[in-house]
Amino acid sequence: MPPTGAGTRLLNWASAIEDATLEQARRTAAMPFIHPHVALMPDAHPGMGSAVGTVIPTLRAVIPAAVGVDIGCGMIGVETTLSHSDIADLDLAQLRQDVERVIPLSPGNYNGHLDRFEFTAAKIAELEELAAKSGVDLSHSPKWRQQLGSLGGGNHFIELCLDERDRVWLFLHSGSRGVGNKIAKKHIAVAQKMCEKWWIQLPDRDLAYLAQGTPEFDRYIADLTWAQRFAYLNRAEMMDRFLHQFVHRAGTDTSVESDRINCHHNYTRPEKHAGKDVWLTRKGAVHAAEGVRAIIPGSMGTRSYVVEGKGSASGLHSAPHGAGRRFSRAEARKRYTQDDLRERMVGIEYRDSAEFIDEIPDAYKSIDVVMEDARDLVTVLHELRQIMNVKGT
């Protein structure tokens, strides 16, 4: 759908949107350094300070809470050369258990040791080198190495999928884990203190910002860059482990991987929009410049999409990052039961547990509506349906 004006310097692509989301977006758009406008994606919903699904271009400033506490959260997908018929005899329950064994699932779980897979060492070495080069202090997270290759909780997931051709895909969603969370909270607090120090009146404390040219800004960008790289490599590490287990059970080897897409949906980076250099924050959105591929997942039990950006200038070269929640976790637990979830997951191998009731597809917006609203932002390349699901606990 074409965007609608929803306020000064605010364009909205969502056909179904809450008043609270619009109010948050208007407050963000009213910040003095926005250029040229804030873009609300089709899956937008209330968040911390800024709505999730908001694209925020800023001149010489960054809002740490707008980037969020799960820095670099995003998606990775691997397309294989295999078709559904090639894995007809694959024991999906056994594969799910294999994956759950090699990838720590809950927010508080870490890898017990780092030498289980030979491909892990290079990623850790890269992150160590980047931290040393950039002066990133990770003393607040002494176990960051053990976090690499762990999924976390909430709506993070791992899936085995089939596309419209019945081609097999490996799919997962995660971010920068505990280390990214601590980096984010540290700099959100710094931004709030700086705004208080200079008597800056904010419409919301979580819109506190850091100004370019200050040591605090430079420190945040260095830490942010490291955390975004950690999130990217964390997804790559989990995918390497997932692929390792998959090819073992399928009786093949890793040469079946034919393509890989790894994209952030909570991050900041320098871009040029409307003739000016800005810091472009995608808080729950993917990069969708012309020809750029990205992944837009549905909810547990619904379709996901591999897409290519159309380079919409008014959309700030962005697109939605998923279905977006309709109900809070508490509200979802009031409305739905474990039996409701079982009904929605028929035909999909998953861990049958009441802890996932709040992730039922009904708690999310319709991915079909989100994709229809995004038709001017992206072209759909592939439509995926899951046959196995692993949720973060």
Side-chain angles (χ1 to χ4, degrees):
M1 60 174 275
T4 58
T8 304
R9 293 188 298 180
L10 176 62
L11 294 179
N12 170 41
W13 272 261
S15 60
I17 192 165
E18 305 89 343
D19 290 341
T21 304
L22 284 171
E23 180 55 33
Q24 279 194 315
R26 290 186 182 112
R27 288 198 296 264
T28 302
M31 298 298 282
F33 40 71
I34 297 297
H35 173 82
H37 58 262
V38 165
L40 266 180
M41 295 291 101
D43 55 335
H45 59 279
M48 183 174 75
S50 303
V52 178
T54 309
V55 184
I56 309 167
T58 51
L59 296 168
R60 298 185 58 78
V62 171
I63 305 169
V67 182
V69 295
D70 196 358
I71 296 170
C73 188
M75 295 292 305
I76 185 170
V78 162
E79 180 183 4
T80 76
T81 59
L82 302 178
S83 295
H84 193 194
S85 59
D86 297 319
I87 61 168
D89 297 328
L90 183 64
D91 186 333
L92 293 179
Q94 185 61 63
L95 176 61
R96 175 179 60 79
Q97 293 165 23
D98 289 346
V99 171
E100 292 172 347
R101 187 175 64 254
V102 300
I103 298 177
L105 300 182
S106 78
N109 279 3
Y110 304 110
N111 293 288
H113 46 86
L114 302 174
D115 57 359
R116 184 170 190 173
F117 299 100
E118 62 180 16
F119 45 71
T120 307
K123 300 184 186 77
I124 291 176
E126 179 184 337
L127 290 166
E128 289 174 337
E129 182 180 354
L130 179 59
K133 180 180 177 181
S134 306
V136 174
D137 179 9
L138 297 170
S139 60
H140 50 68
S141 300
K143 287 190 173 183
W144 70 262
R145 295 170 184 83
Q146 285 81 4
Q147 292 175 20
L148 188 76
S150 63
L151 185 67
N155 62 351
H156 292 171
F157 64 80
I158 303 166
E159 291 181 338
L160 188 69
C161 300
L162 303 172
D163 69 14
E164 73 286 350
R165 305 162 298 172
D166 261 2
R167 186 69 58 84
V168 178
W169 287 71
L170 284 65
F171 220 54
L172 68 86
H173 167 218
S174 191
S176 56
R177 304 291 291 106
V179 62
N181 183 282
K182 287 188 177 182
I183 286 171
K185 288 181 176 178
K186 169 185 171 182
H187 290 285
I188 290 170
V190 169
Q192 290 172 343
K193 289 177 182 177
M194 292 295 291
C195 287
E196 289 171 3
K197 176 181 178 181
W198 295 106
W199 301 94
I200 295 170
Q201 298 296 313
L202 297 167
D204 187 314
R205 287 189 78 237
D206 287 323
L207 290 176
Y209 59 90
L210 296 170
Q212 193 167 352
T214 64
E216 291 81 6
F217 179 93
D218 293 342
R219 181 74 275 133
Y220 177 57
I221 294 301
D223 288 359
L224 177 73
T225 300
W226 186 91
Q228 289 175 177
R229 188 60 182 167
F230 178 94
Y232 185 95
L233 292 176
N234 185 45
R235 288 192 293 274
E237 174 70 16
M238 284 186 285
M239 182 55 73
D240 290 343
R241 296 183 188 189
F242 184 12
L243 184 62
H244 183 276
Q245 300 303 310
F246 170 73
V247 299
H248 170 71
R249 288 291 169 188
T252 182
D253 58 57
T254 55
S255 66
V256 299
E257 177 178 342
S258 62
D259 197 9
R260 182 176 290 214
I261 303 168
N262 193 343
C263 62
H264 293 322
H265 60 221
N266 283 348
Y267 69 113
T268 289
R269 70 176 207 166
E271 293 188 13
K272 191 163 208 167
H273 291 278
K276 292 188 178 182
D277 294 325
V278 300
W279 289 95
L280 200 285
T281 296
R282 293 183 173 96
K283 180 185 177 78
V286 296
H287 186 205
E290 185 174 1
V292 173
R293 294 180 305 158
I295 298 170
I296 303 177
S299 54
M300 184 179 185
T302 62
R303 290 178 296 280
S304 296
Y305 294 86
V306 178
V307 301
E308 182 176 89
K310 291 185 174 181
S312 167
S314 57
L316 303 174
H317 293 177
S318 302
H321 80 311
R325 293 197 73 93
R326 290 176 60 218
F327 304 122
S328 68
R329 296 189 181 280
E331 181 64 23
R333 287 190 168 276
K334 290 178 184 176
R335 289 173 175 262
Y336 305 109
T337 67
Q338 189 172 357
D339 284 339
D340 292 330
L341 179 59
R342 285 170 179 154
E343 184 177 342
R344 293 304 301 268
M345 296 296 285
V346 169
I348 302 170
E349 169 60 36
Y350 78 111
R351 190 166 66 260
D352 184 9
S353 172
E355 69 181 308
F356 302 134
I357 292 172
D358 53 18
E359 282 293 304
I360 190 170
D362 307 76
Y364 285 82
K365 295 181 179 181
S366 166
I367 190 65
D368 297 327
V369 173
V370 168
M371 296 308 297
E372 175 62 21
D373 288 350
R375 68 181 181 271
D376 294 334
L377 305 175
V378 292
T379 298
V380 173
L381 300 178
H382 298 294
E383 180 180 310
L384 279 63
R385 64 190 189 279
Q386 63 272 78
I387 56 174
M388 185 198 78
N389 172 279
V390 174
K391 292 292 295 184
T393 59

